[in-house]
Amino acid sequence: MRFLVLSDIHGDKKYLELLDEEFALADAVLFAGDFTRFEAKETARPVLNTLVKKHDSLFCILGNCDEKDFLKELENLDVSVQGDLVFRDGLAFAGSGGGLRFTGVTPFERTEEELIGDLNIIKEKDSCDNLILLIHHPPYDTKLDTINGDVHVGSKAVRAFIEEHQPLAVISGHIHESFAVDTLGRTVLINPGSLAEGRYGILEVQRNAQDEWTVTKTELKRLD
């Protein structure tokens, strides 16, 4: 299966209109939050409407710039995996939205406990080998969470959760400058960067004859 991996659109639809070929090639779209331009909540719904029109298989969470109540819009369109566990085509999808409390000026800032609380449903699973997580705030001390070149600002609780449960892949965003691919154990981590800056990613996974899923391709791309 091939996934188009997006994050941090921030109200700017122009790059969505340039991705028609990628939408056509993708089996599904994974969006790791921040529909909204900062302090302009009216920009979120047009982005969501465009995503829904571009692809009929969409998995989303909220970012720290999104209003908490916007989750209802995602749920009404059946595209949310935040605090939920969704099964499709042999894979499981779950997610945790928002970002850790930092500036206090974005509408969806949370504690470590709240971030992990969205993932409690996963603890009931016997195996996470087929699980893809969308978590807006990246795990701590990885290539996905650095600012100013070497300061790690990721979530320690998210990292511990990944290390314990070892999902197939984790998609995050939030830290625009840390677009990267990394691993924690056998889990593949992807921060595609901000689509508002033209950045996005590709994830491909495959199930073998033993019914085991593996990541076969990751790619970070940028629109000119």
Side-chain angles (χ1 to χ4, degrees), residues 134-187:
L134 280 67
I135 305 179
H136 185 67
H137 201 110
Y140 178 74
D141 195 16
T142 63
K143 295 178 182 177
L144 282 62
D145 79 318
T146 58
I147 60 173
N148 301 324
D150 60 356
V151 179
H152 291 280
V153 294
S155 165
K156 294 180 179 180
V158 167
R159 181 188 175 103
F161 185 93
I162 294 168
E163 290 177 326
E164 177 181 356
H165 295 281
Q166 292 286 276
L168 179 64
V170 176
I171 311 301
S172 65
H174 192 44
I175 311 301
H176 295 193
E177 59 267 44
S178 279
F179 48 91
V181 174
D182 203 352
T183 57
L184 278 176
R186 64 174 180 268
T187 300

Side-chain angles (χ1 to χ4, degrees), residues 45-60:
R45 184 67 202 219
V47 169
L48 176 58
N49 289 345
T50 301
L51 283 169
V52 170
K53 290 177 183 177
K54 293 291 185 182
H55 208 287
D56 59 6
S57 187
L58 184 62
F59 301 91
C60 301

Side-chain angles (χ1 to χ4, degrees), residues 92-112:
F93 301 85
S96 175
L100 284 178
R101 291 175 182 169
F102 181 58
T103 64
V105 298
T106 55
F108 197 22
E109 297 187 8
R110 313 177 78 189
T111 65
E112 293 270 19

